Amino acid sequence: MLKLEGVDAKYDSFKALDGVSLEIDAGELVVLLGANGAGKTTLFNTISGLMKPAAGRITIDGKDVTGRKPSALVQAGVVQCPEGRKLFPGMSVLKNLRLGGYVHRRDRAGMNRTLEHILAMFPILEEKKDQPAGSLSGGQQQMVAVGRALMGRPKLLMLDEPSLGLAPLVVKQVFETVQSINAEGTTVLLAEQNAYAALKIANRAYVIENGKLVMQGDREEMLGNEAVRKAYIGA
Amino acid sequence: MDLFLQQVLNGLTLGSIYGLVALGLTLVYGILHVPNFAHGALYMVGAYVCYFTMSDLGLNYWVAIAAAAVVVAALSVICERLVFHPLRHAPPIHDKIAAIGILLFLEAVVQMYWGADFRRIASPYNQILDIGGLTLPAQRLLIIVGAFSLMGALHLYLKKTMTGATIVAMAQNREGAFLVGIDANRVAMMTFAIAGALAAVAAGLFAPINLVYPAMGHLVLLKAFVIIILGGMGSIPGAIIGGLIIGFSEALGGFYLSSTYKDVIAFVLLVVILSIKPTGLFTKGVR
């Protein structure tokens, strides 16, 4: 459903993405592995439209969306749950979630259904729904961020380092949630440093280094690959 | 005691006008992240539109205020499209310089067409009300009621509607707002329109007890800056309460200390409050 062909992205003269081509099919859970600064977030922001690609083509379900605005991409069903969450800290949890459904604002009934579903998925948010999002713990804020992204009813959900800075037990819960979201039919692209846990739930993975995709393969290939184990799993 | 209450009423009048102007400034600050120096000029243009709608077109005071709100909202949006939007990737200092440019430009245009004369809008409400021994000109009551109902309406708009929430969302986290599909252009234009309309209504309400002239926005703008710095840049309750603080201190200080120094009081207060609480009174704790 998502296809990138030879995408470049630049910060001034620095090439942060260099000829990135990848393809994700509907229903897949694909992991993007890479060290800090390899270009994971840049790739996500380019797909989301926050950055304009300097070259290449991005299509969604065959439709060219290269260089479109972020709002157009959210409309097209590509929603990113960003690194660092980027919540609206002074607004209540409920309001954050409702704004997640901004593109579906005319469909009140549908929005309430999605909201109920999300609150059932994260019962703690139901309890905290009237508190400002900025007052929640890191793990709870991550739930709000994932919930807000889901309110957009994405066809493709991109999660950028959802486990960053969370306690191990919460990390486990985040991965379980990602897996269940995928099982419900949402295509997922997951960027993670926590390679082992991510690969365990993935169908396939790409490895990005210095802005280039250097390797790809399915879960077994990746888990068995010596270079991947050395670089990202540490065993 | 009566004299004191009388000054409180005067303070409320001033404070509600300052609050309206500061609200627009603080809303735009949330979007631009730069103080919009042109805001005082929008206020001035609002007063002129109001004046000429009444004197040349012979229309009713309320129609004139509505016309001023519409014209200045449009002017404000034009400034955003023509000046601030093209500068959105430029360093913040460019916005500031451009804003000062708009201020000078608008003042020069007004002065060229209408001259530097002082003009006066005649209030249709010249009655003096007597409330328990306090005298209150009807125009002042109108200012207080009008300003506070507008603030109330704005509050409801920002809190209860989805479009209002997009303005707040954009101020709290720009990238987060993009990622939920909020269109930055739409929000920016809407914010500028609201800020312009608020400034024009404030000018229209205040003009009958004040004068209309090209430089009338200067002091109001400076005080609005003091207010949003006091209240915390970008804070909406801060703008309202800051407006009242400045209004009251000016009225009371002008009466009990010296009316010559009444315009200085706001700035003295700024120095005092910032040396005690450098982040302003209502800066949000969570960021």
Side-chain angles (χ1 to χ4, degrees):
Chain A
M1 68 170 303
L2 174 76
K3 195 171 174 189
L4 273 71
E5 296 161 85
V7 169
D8 288 0
K10 285 181 178 168
Y11 294 102
D12 293 322
S13 61
F14 173 68
K15 215 172 197 181
L17 292 181
D18 188 357
V20 171
S21 297
L22 63 77
E23 204 171 339
I24 297 171
D25 292 327
E28 274 192 308
L29 198 168
V30 176
V31 167
L32 181 65
L33 298 178
N36 263 336
K40 299 190 297 287
T41 299
T42 306
L43 179 57
F44 273 32
N45 285 348
T46 308
I47 297 172
S48 281
L50 287 174
M51 274 185 80
K52 306 269 172 266
R57 215 166 90 94
I58 303 173
T59 55
I60 292 165
D61 294 329
K63 255 197 350 218
D64 194 332
V65 295
T66 319
R68 299 284 296 277
K69 284 193 291 192
S71 52
L73 280 145
V74 177
Q75 295 265 6
V78 178
V79 180
Q80 185 190 163
C81 173
E83 186 183 351
R85 306 172 197 120
K86 311 247 191 274
L87 296 176
F88 310 121
M91 288 191 197
S92 70
V93 168
L94 199 62
K95 200 109 186 234
N96 267 275
L97 293 174
R98 285 197 173 280
L99 273 167
Y102 176 72
V103 292
H104 304 298
R105 60 193 176 281
R106 310 244 183 276
D107 172 20
R108 273 181 179 270
M111 222 164 112
N112 287 334
R113 261 201 313 278
T114 320
L115 185 63
E116 261 170 49
H117 185 71
I118 289 164
L119 290 178
M121 192 187 290
F122 304 112
I124 185 78
L125 297 187
E126 171 84 58
E127 244 170 78
K128 307 253 173 185
K129 66 176 194 262
D130 296 319
Q131 293 188 19
S135 71
L136 269 54
S137 73
Q140 291 163 353
Q141 288 195 22
Q142 191 61 52
M143 292 176 198
V144 179
V146 173
R148 187 180 70 176
L150 287 176
M151 283 297 290
R153 283 183 246 157
K155 286 194 271 181
L156 170 66
L157 175 65
M158 298 193 292
L159 295 148
D160 195 356
E161 306 257 7
S163 70
L164 197 71
L166 299 185
L169 208 64
V170 186
V171 171
K172 190 163 167 269
Q173 200 187 349
V174 168
F175 280 107
E176 282 167 8
T177 311
V178 172
Q179 199 170 19
S180 73
I181 291 166
N182 178 244
E184 283 169 23
T186 307
T187 312
V188 175
L189 175 58
L190 171 66
E192 260 299 331
Q193 299 220 1
N194 197 338
Y196 185 66
L199 282 174
K200 271 207 311 197
I201 61 169
N203 300 111
R204 286 193 302 127
Y206 287 94
V207 177
I208 186 167
E209 269 171 25
N210 296 323
K212 289 193 183 98
L213 292 183
V214 291
M215 206 188 297
Q216 63 160 310
D218 61 26
R219 172 178 38 205
E220 277 69 35
E221 281 175 70
M222 286 307 216
L223 282 170
N225 186 300
E226 197 57 33
V228 171
R229 295 188 73 90
K230 263 219 173 84
Y232 301 107
I233 300 178
Chain B
M1 191 61 196
D2 274 1
L3 279 175
F4 174 76
L5 287 175
Q6 192 70 53
Q7 294 315 315
V8 169
L9 271 179
N10 290 344
L12 208 54
T13 319
L14 281 173
S16 51
I17 292 296
Y18 292 160
L20 277 188
V21 179
L23 264 181
L25 203 58
T26 221
L27 280 178
V28 168
Y29 178 82
I31 299 295
L32 273 186
H33 293 287
V34 153
N36 181 14
F37 297 106
H39 201 65
L42 295 176
Y43 171 85
M44 178 268 300
V45 172
Y48 271 93
V49 174
C50 198
Y51 177 84
F52 284 107
T53 316
M54 284 175 78
S55 72
D56 288 15
L57 303 178
L59 293 172
N60 169 285
Y61 179 59
W62 292 106
V63 179
I65 287 189
V70 172
V71 170
V72 176
L75 183 64
S76 182
V77 172
I78 292 171
C79 291
E80 196 276 332
R81 283 290 91 184
L82 243 47
V83 180
F84 296 114
H85 181 72
L87 287 174
R88 67 197 180 286
H89 298 306
I93 187 76
H94 294 202
D95 284 308
K96 290 182 191 153
I97 296 170
I100 294 173
I102 297 174
L103 169 79
L104 297 175
F105 173 77
L106 289 176
E107 274 184 30
V109 169
V110 165
Q111 186 153 350
M112 185 172 83
Y113 278 106
W114 295 316
D117 310 339
F118 289 73
R119 296 162 197 269
R120 188 178 194 96
I121 292 181
S123 169
Y125 304 96
N126 288 318
Q127 306 88 319
I128 306 283
L129 306 177
D130 192 325
I131 307 168
L134 295 176
T135 55
L136 181 66
Q139 182 65 30
R140 283 183 182 261
L141 183 67
L142 197 70
I143 291 175
I144 297 169
V145 173
F148 279 100
S149 9
L150 209 55
M151 289 175 194
L154 181 71
H155 176 81
L156 286 180
Y157 173 72
L158 293 175
K159 285 274 163 199
K160 300 286 176 203
T161 69
M162 192 60 127
T163 36
T166 61
I167 295 181
V168 183
M170 189 92 157
Q172 289 191 4
N173 195 318
R174 214 177 162 76
E175 274 199 350
F178 292 154
L179 288 174
V180 298
I182 293 172
D183 184 356
N185 286 335
R186 235 183 96 173
V187 175
M189 287 195 279
M190 208 154 60
T191 310
F192 272 83
I194 292 172
L198 288 177
V201 172
L205 285 172
F206 200 38
I209 58 172
N210 217 308
L211 293 168
V212 178
Y213 55 101
M216 66 184 281
H218 292 179
L219 212 51
V220 174
L221 178 72
L222 283 177
K223 283 175 190 164
F225 273 124
V226 172
I227 289 162
I228 68 171
I229 294 167
L230 280 186
M233 302 290 262
S235 160
I236 289 164
I240 298 171
I241 297 180
L244 290 175
I245 291 176
I246 298 298
F248 283 132
S249 52
E250 234 180 84
L252 295 173
F255 182 73
Y256 288 108
L257 300 175
S258 153
S259 63
T260 327
Y261 289 109
K262 75 172 171 40
D263 288 331
V264 180
I265 289 165
F267 304 100
V268 172
L269 218 63
L270 176 71
V271 173
V272 172
I273 291 187
L274 285 189
S275 46
I276 297 166
K277 197 163 182 302
T279 48
L281 294 175
F282 293 89
T283 323
K284 291 157 213 140
V286 278
R287 266 255 158 214

